[in-house]
Amino acid sequence: MLRVSKLTDYATVILTHIAHQPDELHAASDITQDTGVALPTVSKVLKLLAKANILISYRGSKGGYALANKPNETNVAEVITAIEGPIGMTECTTSDGTCEQESSCEIKGNWNLINRAVYTALEAVTLADMVAPVRQQAVTVGLPTVTKSNDLNVEN
Amino acid sequence: MLRVSKLTDYATVILTHIAHQPDELHAASDITQDTGVALPTVSKVLKLLAKANILISYRGSKGGYALANKPNETNVAEVITAIEGPIGMTECTTSDGTCEQESSCEIKGNWNLINRAVYTALEAVTLADMVAPVRQQAVTVGLPTVTKSNDLNVEN
DNA sequence: CTAATATAGTACTAAAATAGTCCTATATAA
DNA sequence: TTATATAGGACTATTTTAGTACTATATTAG
């Protein structure tokens, strides 16, 4: 199954929470209470997001985290990259030379194409979209413009 | 890093190889030699692809595998699903009820949107595209039509 | 200047997913 | 009947991920 890690999932939950009050400072302990995610885990995620400049951190008493940019300026691709590293669906996409078959591999270029397509899709969704309640929302990505209906199942 | 498993990567290599001679039968042992992937692994992948009706298998002496459909009728989304199971980026997308936060989770619907966008991107690339050498190829997916240039790096 | 609070960084452990291998059964052709 | 090739399932080792803990540093308040 093609999936993001749990930490990335937490990251979106946490960011969505913060984005609801974009002008306030949020301490890790507050976020734990509001989201139900364990404190050490919240802490870890927040650090990663700060390191990637998605959040700004303030130390010390009365410290906490705030969004570095407006909700519509941070997209899902950035969040995934912050937690999991560069988005690349195969080994050869992110690190050269580690694949033995590389020299004779004829499909590397095509995987790059696929990556690009996926990345574009992820880039099109911002935090602002995540904050918004699920609505009849056109995803402006993909061949046929997809219109959201409830609980669409992506398989088959 | 958002990625497909190695087995899925092998699957695309193997399928690409088979698609070069779509009218011949390919035994697992032949494929091992031509691709450099270990026999037990090749074998495992072929079984999974056959089970998903992407390949047709013929047992016995002179047996082997062949494509069930034309190269342009099998897409990457199907291949990923065959090897890894349903494509869904978060737990709640593929299996209901296992996430404790589900009832209070406000972003589930939005993950469904993202899944849909990614799936559409993966669906747009077929085996026929993989067989073709990397060429100046427009990916008909994503907002701006992406034109392939060499070694585009998907990050930042 | 000191104490309290909150993040930064790093290292470690446990659990889960993945990869890879092997064995036995079944089907087909010569 | 024998050789060949896939089907299916079980098992092990490896790798990745998740989660935790500890120490250092920065900031505010008194």
Side-chain angles (χ1 to χ4, degrees):
Chain A
M1 166 167 22
L2 182 70
R3 67 186 313 175
V4 295
S5 72
K6 280 193 184 179
L7 284 186
T8 302
D9 199 5
Y10 295 153
T12 61
V13 171
I14 291 170
L15 283 173
T16 302
H17 175 71
I18 294 178
H20 270 112
Q21 288 119 4
D23 301 322
E24 290 179 27
L25 230 49
H26 301 260
S29 55
D30 295 343
I31 296 174
T32 298
Q33 293 196 315
D34 296 336
T35 61
V37 181
L39 177 57
T41 305
V42 169
S43 201
K44 186 176 192 172
V45 170
L46 289 170
K47 286 174 199 169
L48 287 169
L49 293 174
K51 202 170 187 177
N53 298 314
I54 291 173
L55 293 177
I56 293 179
S57 66
Y58 298 90
R59 289 188 175 191
S61 180
K62 305 258 174 181
Y65 294 88
L67 291 181
N69 300 291
K70 291 178 187 167
N72 66 357
E73 292 170 344
T74 298
N75 63 56
V76 173
E78 292 174 307
V79 175
I80 295 176
T81 302
I83 307 292
E84 307 185 24
I87 295 173
M89 307 251 287
T90 54
E91 187 125 5
C92 62
T93 316
T94 46
S95 53
D96 283 318
T98 49
C99 173
E100 305 163 5
Q101 276 84 38
E102 188 159 13
S103 58
S104 62
C105 176
E106 37 182 346
I107 64 178
K108 178 181 175 184
N110 289 309
W111 267 119
N112 275 329
L113 276 180
I114 297 170
N115 282 330
R116 193 61 179 161
V118 169
Y119 191 81
T120 301
L122 294 172
E123 221 174 9
V125 183
T126 73
L127 269 190
D129 297 319
M130 301 298 271
V131 171
V134 179
R135 59 180 193 274
Q136 206 69 17
Q137 179 180 30
V139 181
T140 51
V141 143
L143 308 165
T145 293
V146 175
T147 302
K148 167 81 181 98
S149 65
N150 247 343
D151 242 331
L152 46 81
N153 203 326
V154 117
E155 193 218 4
N156 291 335
Chain B
M1 166 168 22
L2 182 70
R3 69 187 313 177
V4 295
S5 72
K6 281 193 184 181
L7 284 185
T8 302
D9 198 5
Y10 295 153
T12 62
V13 171
I14 291 169
L15 284 172
T16 301
H17 175 72
I18 294 178
H20 269 114
Q21 287 119 2
D23 301 324
E24 289 178 28
L25 232 50
H26 300 261
S29 54
D30 296 341
I31 295 174
T32 297
Q33 293 196 313
D34 295 336
T35 60
V37 181
L39 178 58
T41 305
V42 168
S43 201
K44 187 175 190 172
V45 170
L46 288 169
K47 286 174 198 168
L48 287 168
L49 293 174
K51 202 170 188 176
N53 298 315
I54 291 173
L55 293 177
I56 294 179
S57 67
Y58 299 91
R59 289 188 175 190
S61 180
K62 305 259 173 181
Y65 294 87
L67 291 180
N69 301 292
K70 292 177 187 168
N72 66 357
E73 290 171 344
T74 299
N75 64 54
V76 173
E78 291 173 307
V79 175
I80 294 176
T81 301
I83 306 291
E84 308 185 25
I87 294 173
M89 307 252 288
T90 55
E91 187 124 6
C92 61
T93 316
T94 46
S95 52
D96 283 319
T98 49
C99 173
E100 305 164 2
Q101 275 84 37
E102 188 157 13
S103 58
S104 62
C105 176
E106 35 182 349
I107 65 178
K108 179 181 175 182
N110 289 307
W111 269 119
N112 276 329
L113 277 181
I114 296 170
N115 284 329
R116 192 60 178 163
V118 169
Y119 192 81
T120 302
L122 294 172
E123 220 174 9
V125 183
T126 72
L127 268 192
D129 297 319
M130 301 297 271
V131 171
V134 180
R135 59 179 192 275
Q136 206 67 17
Q137 179 181 31
V139 181
T140 51
V141 143
L143 307 165
T145 293
V146 175
T147 303
K148 167 81 180 96
S149 65
N150 247 344
D151 241 330
L152 47 79
N153 202 327
V154 118
E155 192 216 7
N156 290 337

